[in-house]
Amino acid sequence: MNNVLQINGLVKAYNAGKPNEIAVLRGIDLSVAKGEVVALVAPSGAGKTTLLQIAGLLDVADGGDLSIGGDSVQGLNDAKRTQMRRREVGFIYQFHHLLPEFTALENVTLPQLANGIATAAAEARARALLDSVGVAHRASHRPAELSGGEQQRVAYCRALANDPKLLLADEPTGNLDPETSDLVFGALMKLVREAGLSALIATHNLDLAARMDRMVRLEAGRIVPA
Ligand code: ADP
């Protein structure tokens, strides 16, 4: 089995058993092969964030199977899940969520230090990543001194810092104007392709979705081909 992400029969409800129960995921079957970039398209409220948070081991499903890199997350305790998330998954949000008191370089270096990489090697990798998306000249600046597009490119580098197997992105250009979004998405795809990464990228933007390898829709709690 070569799939980096494999999801079978995943279900998730909020407020289970209460009158306001919402069954958001009703049996999700989805796989992402090695090196494949899949666009996840759905209207707001359909459950994209819920699915990505579960796939990224930030939330737990009520049922179904999920494996990353061939390893099932079933039955893992919190410590093991955290370890797996740190080592195998990169996550990108709609807003950059960079640490405001640290520079761009430090934001990309710190997750590596947390993973046991030596400082010099971590900084060298951070510089190489920043360079490959054209923001190396901003390495010593803090997020507040960067443009929206630059902030997002730094966040992409941070997501790739620990050389994950799987990249998950929730509207990674969602807060940018269309022109910047187009440019910055190109930078993201460059990073992903250079690393041979597998990725699941949620977007409303059908032009961006068309630049990925495959598009799936999330509808009524299930995945349907686009
Ligand atoms: P999307 O990312 O596609 O906009 P979400 O996954 O954020 O969708 O939300 C799917 C549905 O689940 C929405 O109806 C939302 O209101 C609901 N929801 C999301 N998170 C919670 C929560 N923590 N508690 C209750 N309902 C939630």
Side-chain angles (χ1 to χ4, degrees):
M1 214 243 326
N2 282 329
N3 291 329
V4 169
L5 176 66
Q6 181 71 46
I7 295 176
N8 294 103
L10 202 76
V11 290
K12 174 77 176 179
Y14 291 111
N15 308 316
K18 297 188 185 150
N20 58 347
E21 173 169 340
I22 312 173
V24 181
L25 307 179
R26 298 163 176 259
I28 298 286
D29 296 315
L30 176 65
S31 58
V32 180
K34 187 159 173 39
E36 189 182 34
V37 179
V38 176
L40 177 66
V41 179
S44 182
K48 293 186 301 292
T49 301
T50 302
L51 177 58
L52 289 170
Q53 299 264 332
I54 294 172
L57 310 181
L58 296 160
D59 195 1
V60 206
D62 300 328
D65 289 334
L66 166 67
S67 51
I68 296 174
D71 297 323
S72 172
V73 305
Q74 237 61 26
L76 292 185
N77 63 25
D78 279 354
K80 290 263 185 236
R81 290 169 62 83
T82 301
Q83 194 180 54
M84 189 162 170
R85 181 171 71 237
R86 275 204 193 140
R87 289 195 181 151
E88 313 214 336
V89 183
F91 211 101
I92 298 170
Y93 300 87
Q94 180 173 357
F95 297 98
H96 59 81
H97 290 302
L98 296 171
L99 298 171
E101 66 275 38
F102 292 101
T103 65
L105 185 74
E106 288 164 343
N107 267 281
V108 185
T109 303
L110 287 171
Q112 300 179 70
L113 302 184
N115 242 8
I117 310 289
T119 307
E123 280 186 8
R125 175 161 174 79
R127 278 190 200 285
L129 285 167
L130 293 171
D131 189 40
S132 86
V133 291
V135 286
H137 63 299
R138 310 294 277 155
S140 59
H141 291 261
R142 292 183 183 176
E145 299 160 351
L146 305 177
S147 72
E150 288 169 343
Q151 289 167 343
Q152 224 34 9
R153 278 181 279 170
V154 175
Y156 300 164
C157 294
R158 178 187 53 182
L160 268 78
N162 280 323
D163 198 17
K165 287 191 179 121
L166 176 67
L167 179 74
L168 299 168
D170 195 354
E171 303 279 355
T173 67
N175 70 332
L176 303 172
D177 63 78
E179 204 174 309
T180 309
S181 168
D182 200 51
L183 205 79
V184 164
F185 184 76
L188 176 60
M189 287 300 278
K190 178 172 186 273
L191 282 175
V192 166
R193 297 303 193 195
E194 279 173 2
L197 257 180
S198 307
L200 181 61
I201 302 179
T203 180
H204 288 301
N205 184 328
L206 291 178
D207 291 334
L208 296 189
R211 289 162 67 181
M212 303 186 214
D213 298 326
R214 182 160 64 91
M215 194 190 310
V216 297
R217 282 182 197 279
L218 179 53
E219 256 178 41
R222 292 198 174 80
I223 294 289
V224 294

